[in-house]
Amino acid sequence: MSAPLRYVAMADGGSRGNPGIAGYGAVVVDTEADLVLAERAEYIGTASNNVAEYRGLIAALEAALELGITELEMRMDSKLVVEQMSGRWKIKHPAMKPLALRARALLDRFDRVDLQWIPRAENHLADRLANEAMDGAGKGDVNRVGGDPLADAGRGDDDPDPVQPAAATVTEGPPGSLVTMSPGPDPVLTLVMLRHGETEQSLERRFSGSSDLPLTGKGEAQAAAAAARIAGASAISAIYSSPLRRARQTAEAVGALIGVRVVVDDALREVDFGQWEGMTFTEARRAGGDAFTRWLADHELAPPGGESQQQCMERVAGLRNRLIRRHEGERVLIVTHMTPIKALIGEALGGLRIASRINLDLCSLSRVDYHDGRTVVKLVNEISHLGAL
């Protein structure tokens, strides 16, 4: 028997009428850390139960891939979907075939997927999400428990029904470590993270750490689209930005739209790439030789004259701890660069090595909720607001 896998995804779909009001739910869990890494739910209009089940499977696989997971245990209570995806049952219905092809393409991107049928009673997390999606029929519920991932109040699976939250106590740990928070069922801090828009160097895929670059015209349009997306979600109480121009321009587009002043904090600057600044990946590999190869494999190593990913992690974690003290129970937006965002997501998921497998597009949105004793990654690399930009 093969060893159990660390990462488990569960998916479910339902239809009230079959076909009728339909929705799906999906959840990804880190079983070793006992963390919910992602939750997705969506009302999909009028559809059959089997279509909703397939949509749930697709959502779960997409969420796992976005988190950089390569080995996954996929659990569903739909015997039909499990048997069809395992190749034991034929796919006869025409509505199922394109969904099955899409799911198969996603499955093929993993190194390993163990697809398992489970009784419905054991699939309660995904079942609850699917039912909440159907309860919110037509309200645009995506990537969350019953709503917008930027607007969700962030209640976890083991949280009680909504109550007046108790005040949280914050205890400072070692420098750069996550502070201890207790008690309170709601997040002590909801951190929404926005990467800056396009620059000339990002177009050429050059290392842009300390370079103070402006946005291109397209980058300005991306910032405006992100601002509109954020304005349509729950209120942001504070905005913090990297001091670099590309991040400040992006942050100011949001701040101007929602009426929140932008605070510049040096801890949010991009990692310093030292002698490799301004080079393409190929140019830096050629110039750095063995040092470049070692740097790719070790997050504690720094480029010549630059800064390591670990050093970046320590300064952004220090800022995060300060934000918890300053903005207890609030929703805060940080506008920064790829490395600081990946560092915070990687820390929440278990380490910087995980962060190396996360993709973050320009002007993408991510979100981490900090609870009492646990951290929940709610959103990674959301770019739907960019449309055709």
Side-chain angles (χ1 to χ4, degrees), residues 44-77:
I44 59 173
T46 300
S48 70
N49 183 70
N50 291 335
V51 166
E53 293 276 12
Y54 262 107
R55 291 288 301 273
L57 170 63
I58 289 167
L61 296 174
E62 288 177 338
L65 287 167
E66 287 174 9
L67 292 167
I69 294 170
T70 58
E71 296 189 345
L72 181 71
E73 183 176 306
M74 184 70 235
R75 301 175 183 174
M76 299 186 72
D77 61 41

Side-chain angles (χ1 to χ4, degrees), residues 43-116:
Y43 162 70
I44 59 173
T46 300
S48 70
N49 183 70
N50 291 335
V51 166
E53 293 276 12
Y54 262 107
R55 291 288 301 273
L57 170 63
I58 289 167
L61 296 174
E62 288 177 338
L65 287 167
E66 287 174 9
L67 292 167
I69 294 170
T70 58
E71 296 189 345
L72 181 71
E73 183 176 306
M74 184 70 235
R75 301 175 183 174
M76 299 186 72
D77 61 41
S78 170
K79 189 75 169 176
L80 178 136
V81 173
V82 170
E83 293 298 316
Q84 287 183 342
M85 285 289 92
S86 300
R88 292 185 288 268
W89 290 6
K90 291 184 178 180
I91 304 170
K92 298 179 180 179
H93 198 286
M96 298 296 104
K97 291 182 179 179
L99 294 172
L101 287 172
R102 183 176 171 191
R104 173 51 56 194
L106 293 168
L107 287 166
D108 289 344
R109 292 171 60 184
F110 291 86
D111 294 336
R112 172 185 169 188
V113 178
D114 292 350
L115 191 58
Q116 295 185 12

Side-chain angles (χ1 to χ4, degrees), residues 246-259:
R246 56 193 181 274
R248 286 190 289 107
Q249 282 183 276
T250 306
E252 286 161 4
V254 180
L257 187 61
I258 67 175

Side-chain angles (χ1 to χ4, degrees), residues 71-268:
E71 296 189 345
L72 181 71
E73 183 176 306
M74 184 70 235
R75 301 175 183 174
M76 299 186 72
D77 61 41
S78 170
K79 189 75 169 176
L80 178 136
V81 173
V82 170
E83 293 298 316
Q84 287 183 342
M85 285 289 92
S86 300
R88 292 185 288 268
W89 290 6
K90 291 184 178 180
I91 304 170
K92 298 179 180 179
H93 198 286
M96 298 296 104
K97 291 182 179 179
L99 294 172
L101 287 172
R102 183 176 171 191
R104 173 51 56 194
L106 293 168
L107 287 166
D108 289 344
R109 292 171 60 184
F110 291 86
D111 294 336
R112 172 185 169 188
V113 178
D114 292 350
L115 191 58
Q116 295 185 12
W117 176 85
I118 57 173
R120 184 175 182 180
E122 296 178 16
N123 202 26
H124 60 93
L125 296 180
D127 176 72
R128 174 174 60 83
L129 290 170
N131 276 289
E132 289 186 357
M134 288 183 280
D135 290 342
K139 296 179 182 178
D141 298 349
V142 294
N143 295 357
R144 61 153 291 201
V145 183
D148 190 316
L150 295 182
D152 174 26
R155 290 172 56 222
D157 300 314
D158 55 0
D159 290 334
D161 289 335
V163 294
Q164 187 67 29
T169 300
V170 180
T171 303
E172 186 72 46
S177 65
L178 176 61
V179 295
T180 302
M181 304 157 285
S182 65
D186 292 326
V188 177
L189 176 71
T190 293
L191 196 60
V192 179
M193 297 170 282
L194 174 62
R195 189 184 173 199
H196 64 79
E198 182 189 83
T199 69
E200 290 294 341
Q201 284 199 6
S202 65
L203 272 174
E204 299 172 358
R205 302 183 67 83
R206 295 183 179 276
F207 286 115
S208 304
S210 57
S211 301
D212 199 13
L213 305 166
L215 297 178
T216 62
K218 180 177 179 179
E220 293 175 352
Q222 291 170 335
R229 173 75 172 85
I230 293 166
S234 294
I236 295 290
S237 62
I239 301 175
Y240 289 79
S241 172
S242 159
L244 296 175
R245 185 176 175 185
R246 56 193 181 274
R248 286 190 289 107
Q249 282 183 276
T250 306
E252 286 161 4
V254 180
L257 187 61
I258 67 175
V260 176
R261 182 176 65 90
V262 175
V263 178
V264 174
D265 196 298
D266 192 58
L268 290 173

Side-chain angles (χ1 to χ4, degrees), residues 13-28:
S15 173
R16 296 172 181 170
N18 201 25
I21 291 175
Y24 68 76
V27 60
V28 182

